[in-house]
Amino acid sequence: MGTAASGQDNGGIKLLNFAEQKIKMLHLTWFAFFLTFVIWFAHAPLLIHIKEALALTDAQIKALLILNVAMTIPARIVVGMLVDRYGPRIIYTVVLFISALLCIGFAFAQTYTALAMFRFLLGFVGAGFVIGIRLVGEWFPHHQVGTAEGIYGGWGNFGSAAAAMTLPALALTFGGADGWRYAIASVGVISAVYALVFYYFARNTPKGSVYFKPKKTGAMVVTSWRDLYLLMLMNIPMHLALGMLAWRLSPAGVNLFSTNMMYALWAVLAFLLLVQTQQAWRINAENLRAGVPEADKYSFKQVAILNVAYFATFGSELAVVSMLPLYFLETFEGLTAIEAGLLASGFAFMNLVSRPMGGWFSDKFGRRKSMLILIAGLASGYFVMGLMDSHWWIPLAVFATMACSFFVQAGEGAVFAIVPLIKRSMTGQIAGMAGAYGNVGAVIYLTVLSYVSYSNFFYVIAASALVGLFAVMFLDDPKGHITEVGEDGTVHRISVG
């Protein structure tokens, strides 16, 4: 029996100690994630230029925003499987390079059809997040992995804010009617170059460590009949969210395509759910009937709980970041659009600190306890935001918003502090499913927003967070060791707490 270690030490993470290989890997990986988020949200601060250049309607702009998140849900599931099978080094390189091509294609699209197609395909870049979760999990020991994953997620997530802060100025520097095109295309060029840098310097594991792969591909492998039924149940909301996106793109929403097309897409989604369910049954039933070796067992309940938690945390963040500038503009008199945008940007800006802090809390004070505290804080924060109105002092409203965002993003960090400690060989798939649930949350919350007031929107998020809080009560703290079996049959013990 072997022991898998990831650079074990008892100290903290020294981010400037580049002599440590794991610190190099962390910086290399968070910047890859940062670039994917810059690409994913490069269009947002330049929408006014895009609208003018192609003479787009408000409905067409709204359709682009919806298309931007549609592909991410299935992409995170698929990329999670590919990472576990082929390793983060290859898959991140491929994602960065393909995303670069799609980004450049979007930048120079001459028709709305082309623009919409590239925007839909660019949802794929949102899957980049999943890849680094597996890589960072390979390099850091259990007592540091939450902090490391938090740094990876928080600093990488800042790419959306960085795009908003830099791309308008870059477009102005290029100048002319096509300045926005060159600004967006330049991000694609940087991503293509960095894909090569990442391939050259990244390594899947520390020297001498084993990269564990799942024994089967095509569906997530579970280790009990109860878990199989739970897996099939957890697949349903992802297809419902995609169906909701199709509805929002139909005449009932932004009218991108016909009602008949919506029905056709619903039929395709229903068929794909049946195929996915059949695949999950086919891959797992034979194993379960034969009996699962003790070394291969893990609890899928843990994954399901993290899915629900990420629905409430990252799902609400994506939704709130999308609507907060307009909320400030419409709620507080006398604000300009620029001022409202700046005030709202504090929510996303907190990622730099909040997400790493959530991971650190998890490492320091316990996984389950940290999740309970942070999600309770999230629910309270959104309840307070629901109380805000035009009579509030603006600095107090901004403070309440940023306090809420701390708990939201720290909660995200706590979720992914646990993901690498469930089943090492399936970390990509577990991260992919949890990540997809974040997008499912955003779709559902934004759909709710189209029917209710801003205050009720915040109350709905707070109430759904209480469901997440209840689920986390059943979470098991990772303890002792998990086991993995190498390709040569050797059983490895990996410390998780």
Side-chain angles (χ1 to χ4, degrees):
M1 179 176 284
T3 301
S6 301
Q8 294 274 5
D9 63 61
N10 294 316
I13 295 177
K14 300 177 178 65
L15 287 171
L16 297 180
N17 184 12
F18 289 95
E20 276 195 277
Q21 194 66 15
K22 67 181 179 183
I23 299 299
K24 291 181 185 175
M25 288 300 115
L26 179 58
H27 286 297
L28 191 70
T29 309
W30 79 253
F31 191 73
F33 177 37
F34 174 90
L35 276 180
T36 64
F37 255 56
V38 174
I39 289 175
W40 197 10
F41 293 99
H43 66 299
L46 301 170
L47 278 176
I48 188 67
H49 301 291
I50 296 171
K51 185 177 180 182
E52 289 173 359
L54 280 79
L56 305 181
T57 65
D58 287 341
Q60 287 174 319
I61 289 292
K62 285 180 182 176
L64 287 180
L65 297 178
I66 296 168
L67 287 168
N68 194 48
V69 298
M71 177 67 84
T72 313
I73 294 171
R76 284 185 165 181
I77 299 296
V78 172
V79 168
M81 291 181 179
L82 293 174
V83 171
D84 288 339
R85 188 70 187 163
Y86 299 105
R89 180 182 176 226
I90 296 276
I91 301 302
Y92 231 147
T93 300
V94 170
V95 166
L96 286 167
F97 196 78
I98 291 175
S99 301
L101 299 179
L102 293 174
C103 182
I104 293 167
F106 176 82
F108 294 109
Q110 298 299 319
T111 66
Y112 179 70
T113 303
L115 203 69
M117 181 192 72
F118 279 114
R119 200 70 252 157
F120 171 70
L121 293 174
L122 271 166
F124 159 80
V125 75
F129 166 69
V130 172
I131 307 169
I133 293 295
R134 173 84 199 244
L135 193 145
V136 173
E138 292 285 342
W139 279 88
F140 285 83
H142 69 86
H143 62 279
Q144 294 180 337
V145 74
T147 309
E149 297 285 15
I151 291 166
Y152 165 72
W155 292 12
N157 246 341
F158 189 69
S160 58
M165 290 188 292
T166 60
L167 291 184
L170 190 57
L172 198 63
T173 303
F174 281 117
D178 288 334
W180 67 271
R181 294 186 185 275
Y182 297 123
I184 292 175
S186 65
V187 177
V189 172
I190 292 169
S191 179
V193 172
Y194 195 73
L196 301 176
V197 172
F198 191 87
Y199 182 79
Y200 185 79
F201 289 105
R203 296 294 178 268
N204 289 334
T205 64
K207 192 172 182 180
S209 292
V210 179
Y211 188 82
F212 300 104
K213 299 178 181 180
K215 292 182 173 60
K216 296 195 174 187
T217 55
M220 188 176 284
V221 174
V222 293
T223 55
S224 75
W225 288 105
R226 186 187 67 176
D227 285 352
L228 176 56
Y229 297 127
L230 184 56
L231 168 64
M232 292 190 290
L233 182 67
M234 295 302 290
N235 284 331
I236 295 172
M238 293 185 281
H239 290 79
L240 289 177
L242 291 169
M244 207 172 281
L245 286 174
W247 171 76
R248 291 184 66 198
L249 292 168
S250 75
V254 299
N255 202 21
L256 181 66
F257 47 62
S258 69
T259 302
N260 286 338
M261 174 62 82
M262 179 190 73
Y263 289 141
L265 289 171
W266 282 358
V268 169
L269 287 169
F271 174 73
L272 290 175
L273 177 59
L274 285 173
V275 170
Q276 189 178 23
T277 303
Q278 187 272 336
Q279 184 85 334
W281 181 269
R282 184 182 62 81
I283 283 176
N284 284 288
E286 185 182 343
N287 267 5
L288 294 173
R289 289 191 191 106
V292 179
E294 199 62 34
D296 287 337
K297 288 184 178 178
Y298 77 101
S299 174
F300 182 77
K301 176 194 77 172
Q302 299 282 87
V303 181
I305 292 169
L306 295 180
N307 291 347
V308 174
Y310 209 60
F311 179 106
T313 53
F314 187 65
S316 68
E317 181 187 353
L318 270 184
V320 171
V321 165
S322 301
M323 56 72 70
L324 207 54
L326 187 62
Y327 169 77
F328 273 109
L329 188 64
E330 292 183 0
T331 303
F332 299 101
E333 290 183 16
L335 288 181
T336 66
I338 292 173
E339 288 168 340
L342 285 172
L343 292 176
S345 68
F347 199 97
F349 197 86
M350 289 290 287
N351 259 309
L352 282 173
V353 176
S354 307
R355 199 153 178 162
M357 284 293 289
W360 181 80
F361 281 145
S362 191
D363 287 343
K364 190 80 174 171
F365 302 111
R367 313 296 179 190
R368 181 172 169 274
K369 184 195 296 184
S370 297
M371 288 270 288
L372 287 169
I373 292 169
L374 294 170
I375 293 182
L378 175 159
S380 304
Y382 280 123
F383 180 78
V384 170
M385 287 181 72
L387 297 174
M388 292 193 309
D389 58 29
S390 58
H391 298 100
W392 277 49
W393 185 40
I394 292 177
L396 182 60
V398 172
F399 175 78
T401 300
M402 293 183 73
C404 179
S405 76
F406 171 81
F407 286 103
V408 172
Q409 293 150 8
E412 296 162 11
V415 168
F416 279 92
I418 301 172
V419 166
L421 305 178
I422 296 174
K423 184 70 174 169
R424 178 65 62 85
S425 60
M426 294 172 57
T427 297
Q429 292 171 78
I430 295 167
M433 195 173 204
Y437 258 79
N439 285 78
V440 170
V443 170
I444 291 174
Y445 289 138
L446 287 172
T447 302
V448 168
L449 179 61
S450 64
Y451 289 101
V452 302
S453 67
Y454 289 127
S455 289
N456 285 335
F457 168 70
F458 292 128
Y459 291 144
V460 166
I461 298 177
S464 68
L466 293 178
V467 176
L469 189 66
F470 177 75
V472 171
M473 290 179 182
F474 297 93
L475 188 72
D476 299 322
D477 256 323
K479 290 178 182 175
H481 295 80
I482 56 174
T483 54
E484 290 287 357
V485 181
E487 292 182 357
D488 60 357
T490 305
V491 177
H492 298 258
R493 285 161 53 85
I494 304 166
S495 178
V496 295

PDB file of all heavy atoms in Angstrom, residues 60-75:
ATOM      1  N   GLN A  60     -31.807  41.965 -28.708  1.00  0.00           N
ATOM      2  CA  GLN A  60     -30.651  41.209 -29.210  1.00  0.00           C
ATOM      3  C   GLN A  60     -29.497  41.221 -28.206  1.00  0.00           C
ATOM      4  O   GLN A  60     -28.806  40.216 -28.026  1.00  0.00           O
ATOM      5  CB  GLN A  60     -30.209  41.776 -30.564  1.00  0.00           C
ATOM      6  CG  GLN A  60     -31.151  41.438 -31.705  1.00  0.00           C
ATOM      7  CD  GLN A  60     -30.774  42.124 -32.994  1.00  0.00           C
ATOM      8  OE1 GLN A  60     -30.388  43.298 -33.004  1.00  0.00           O
ATOM      9  NE2 GLN A  60     -30.874  41.407 -34.106  1.00  0.00           N
ATOM     10  N   ILE A  61     -29.307  42.352 -27.537  1.00  0.00           N
ATOM     11  CA  ILE A  61     -28.267  42.449 -26.505  1.00  0.00           C
ATOM     12  C   ILE A  61     -28.584  41.505 -25.348  1.00  0.00           C
ATOM     13  O   ILE A  61     -27.719  40.774 -24.847  1.00  0.00           O
ATOM     14  CB  ILE A  61     -28.134  43.906 -25.990  1.00  0.00           C
ATOM     15  CG1 ILE A  61     -27.497  44.797 -27.067  1.00  0.00           C
ATOM     16  CG2 ILE A  61     -27.324  43.961 -24.704  1.00  0.00           C
ATOM     17  CD1 ILE A  61     -26.038  44.493 -27.360  1.00  0.00           C
ATOM     18  N   LYS A  62     -29.861  41.498 -24.931  1.00  0.00           N
ATOM     19  CA  LYS A  62     -30.265  40.597 -23.846  1.00  0.00           C
ATOM     20  C   LYS A  62     -30.054  39.137 -24.247  1.00  0.00           C
ATOM     21  O   LYS A  62     -29.651  38.301 -23.429  1.00  0.00           O
ATOM     22  CB  LYS A  62     -31.732  40.838 -23.487  1.00  0.00           C
ATOM     23  CG  LYS A  62     -31.966  42.119 -22.701  1.00  0.00           C
ATOM     24  CD  LYS A  62     -33.444  42.298 -22.385  1.00  0.00           C
ATOM     25  CE  LYS A  62     -33.685  43.602 -21.635  1.00  0.00           C
ATOM     26  NZ  LYS A  62     -35.135  43.828 -21.402  1.00  0.00           N
ATOM     27  N   ALA A  63     -30.317  38.830 -25.507  1.00  0.00           N
ATOM     28  CA  ALA A  63     -30.116  37.460 -25.990  1.00  0.00           C
ATOM     29  C   ALA A  63     -28.643  37.059 -25.902  1.00  0.00           C
ATOM     30  O   ALA A  63     -28.312  35.929 -25.533  1.00  0.00           O
ATOM     31  CB  ALA A  63     -30.614  37.324 -27.426  1.00  0.00           C
ATOM     32  N   LEU A  64     -27.746  37.995 -26.222  1.00  0.00           N
ATOM     33  CA  LEU A  64     -26.309  37.707 -26.121  1.00  0.00           C
ATOM     34  C   LEU A  64     -25.927  37.359 -24.682  1.00  0.00           C
ATOM     35  O   LEU A  64     -25.124  36.452 -24.441  1.00  0.00           O
ATOM     36  CB  LEU A  64     -25.483  38.918 -26.588  1.00  0.00           C
ATOM     37  CG  LEU A  64     -25.444  39.218 -28.083  1.00  0.00           C
ATOM     38  CD1 LEU A  64     -24.572  40.448 -28.340  1.00  0.00           C
ATOM     39  CD2 LEU A  64     -24.905  38.031 -28.883  1.00  0.00           C
ATOM     40  N   LEU A  65     -26.498  38.088 -23.711  1.00  0.00           N
ATOM     41  CA  LEU A  65     -26.183  37.844 -22.302  1.00  0.00           C
ATOM     42  C   LEU A  65     -26.668  36.466 -21.862  1.00  0.00           C
ATOM     43  O   LEU A  65     -26.006  35.787 -21.076  1.00  0.00           O
ATOM     44  CB  LEU A  65     -26.816  38.935 -21.431  1.00  0.00           C
ATOM     45  CG  LEU A  65     -26.295  40.366 -21.675  1.00  0.00           C
ATOM     46  CD1 LEU A  65     -27.034  41.360 -20.793  1.00  0.00           C
ATOM     47  CD2 LEU A  65     -24.793  40.457 -21.430  1.00  0.00           C
ATOM     48  N   ILE A  66     -27.826  36.061 -22.371  1.00  0.00           N
ATOM     49  CA  ILE A  66     -28.354  34.727 -22.038  1.00  0.00           C
ATOM     50  C   ILE A  66     -27.506  33.641 -22.695  1.00  0.00           C
ATOM     51  O   ILE A  66     -27.144  32.637 -22.074  1.00  0.00           O
ATOM     52  CB  ILE A  66     -29.831  34.604 -22.479  1.00  0.00           C
ATOM     53  CG1 ILE A  66     -30.703  35.593 -21.700  1.00  0.00           C
ATOM     54  CG2 ILE A  66     -30.345  33.178 -22.265  1.00  0.00           C
ATOM     55  CD1 ILE A  66     -32.102  35.753 -22.257  1.00  0.00           C
ATOM     56  N   LEU A  67     -27.172  33.863 -23.970  1.00  0.00           N
ATOM     57  CA  LEU A  67     -26.357  32.883 -24.700  1.00  0.00           C
ATOM     58  C   LEU A  67     -25.000  32.681 -24.035  1.00  0.00           C
ATOM     59  O   LEU A  67     -24.412  31.598 -24.105  1.00  0.00           O
ATOM     60  CB  LEU A  67     -26.162  33.343 -26.150  1.00  0.00           C
ATOM     61  CG  LEU A  67     -27.376  33.233 -27.068  1.00  0.00           C
ATOM     62  CD1 LEU A  67     -27.131  33.997 -28.370  1.00  0.00           C
ATOM     63  CD2 LEU A  67     -27.702  31.777 -27.367  1.00  0.00           C
ATOM     64  N   ASN A  68     -24.510  33.727 -23.359  1.00  0.00           N
ATOM     65  CA  ASN A  68     -23.180  33.687 -22.764  1.00  0.00           C
ATOM     66  C   ASN A  68     -23.042  32.615 -21.686  1.00  0.00           C
ATOM     67  O   ASN A  68     -21.938  32.134 -21.433  1.00  0.00           O
ATOM     68  CB  ASN A  68     -22.848  35.060 -22.171  1.00  0.00           C
ATOM     69  CG  ASN A  68     -21.389  35.223 -21.842  1.00  0.00           C
ATOM     70  OD1 ASN A  68     -20.530  34.920 -22.658  1.00  0.00           O
ATOM     71  ND2 ASN A  68     -21.087  35.706 -20.657  1.00  0.00           N
ATOM     72  N   VAL A  69     -24.162  32.234 -21.051  1.00  0.00           N
ATOM     73  CA  VAL A  69     -24.070  31.254 -19.953  1.00  0.00           C
ATOM     74  C   VAL A  69     -24.633  29.880 -20.329  1.00  0.00           C
ATOM     75  O   VAL A  69     -24.496  28.926 -19.569  1.00  0.00           O
ATOM     76  CB  VAL A  69     -24.792  31.755 -18.680  1.00  0.00           C
ATOM     77  CG1 VAL A  69     -24.141  33.025 -18.164  1.00  0.00           C
ATOM     78  CG2 VAL A  69     -26.278  31.995 -18.942  1.00  0.00           C
ATOM     79  N   ALA A  70     -25.270  29.775 -21.518  1.00  0.00           N
ATOM     80  CA  ALA A  70     -25.970  28.533 -21.863  1.00  0.00           C
ATOM     81  C   ALA A  70     -25.030  27.335 -21.987  1.00  0.00           C
ATOM     82  O   ALA A  70     -25.291  26.259 -21.448  1.00  0.00           O
ATOM     83  CB  ALA A  70     -26.753  28.731 -23.160  1.00  0.00           C
ATOM     84  N   MET A  71     -23.930  27.509 -22.682  1.00  0.00           N
ATOM     85  CA  MET A  71     -23.011  26.395 -22.956  1.00  0.00           C
ATOM     86  C   MET A  71     -22.254  25.943 -21.713  1.00  0.00           C
ATOM     87  O   MET A  71     -21.801  24.794 -21.626  1.00  0.00           O
ATOM     88  CB  MET A  71     -22.021  26.816 -24.048  1.00  0.00           C
ATOM     89  CG  MET A  71     -20.969  25.780 -24.375  1.00  0.00           C
ATOM     90  SD  MET A  71     -21.636  24.297 -25.149  1.00  0.00           S
ATOM     91  CE  MET A  71     -21.693  24.824 -26.853  1.00  0.00           C
ATOM     92  N   THR A  72     -22.129  26.835 -20.724  1.00  0.00           N
ATOM     93  CA  THR A  72     -21.271  26.543 -19.577  1.00  0.00           C
ATOM     94  C   THR A  72     -21.748  25.347 -18.766  1.00  0.00           C
ATOM     95  O   THR A  72     -20.929  24.584 -18.238  1.00  0.00           O
ATOM     96  CB  THR A  72     -21.181  27.782 -18.664  1.00  0.00           C
ATOM     97  OG1 THR A  72     -20.925  28.929 -19.468  1.00  0.00           O
ATOM     98  CG2 THR A  72     -20.076  27.628 -17.641  1.00  0.00           C
ATOM     99  N   ILE A  73     -23.069  25.174 -18.666  1.00  0.00           N
ATOM    100  CA  ILE A  73     -23.596  24.075 -17.843  1.00  0.00           C
ATOM    101  C   ILE A  73     -23.136  22.714 -18.374  1.00  0.00           C
ATOM    102  O   ILE A  73     -22.482  21.952 -17.645  1.00  0.00           O
ATOM    103  CB  ILE A  73     -25.133  24.162 -17.731  1.00  0.00           C
ATOM    104  CG1 ILE A  73     -25.523  25.433 -16.953  1.00  0.00           C
ATOM    105  CG2 ILE A  73     -25.704  22.928 -17.043  1.00  0.00           C
ATOM    106  CD1 ILE A  73     -27.010  25.728 -16.958  1.00  0.00           C
ATOM    107  N   PRO A  74     -23.400  22.361 -19.651  1.00  0.00           N
ATOM    108  CA  PRO A  74     -22.897  21.066 -20.137  1.00  0.00           C
ATOM    109  C   PRO A  74     -21.387  21.028 -20.259  1.00  0.00           C
ATOM    110  O   PRO A  74     -20.765  19.980 -20.050  1.00  0.00           O
ATOM    111  CB  PRO A  74     -23.569  20.904 -21.504  1.00  0.00           C
ATOM    112  CG  PRO A  74     -23.957  22.280 -21.927  1.00  0.00           C
ATOM    113  CD  PRO A  74     -24.257  23.027 -20.663  1.00  0.00           C
ATOM    114  N   ALA A  75     -20.766  22.186 -20.578  1.00  0.00           N
ATOM    115  CA  ALA A  75     -19.310  22.210 -20.764  1.00  0.00           C
ATOM    116  C   ALA A  75     -18.576  21.827 -19.490  1.00  0.00           C
ATOM    117  O   ALA A  75     -17.572  21.110 -19.528  1.00  0.00           O
ATOM    118  CB  ALA A  75     -18.861  23.590 -21.251  1.00  0.00           C
TER     119      ALA A  75
END
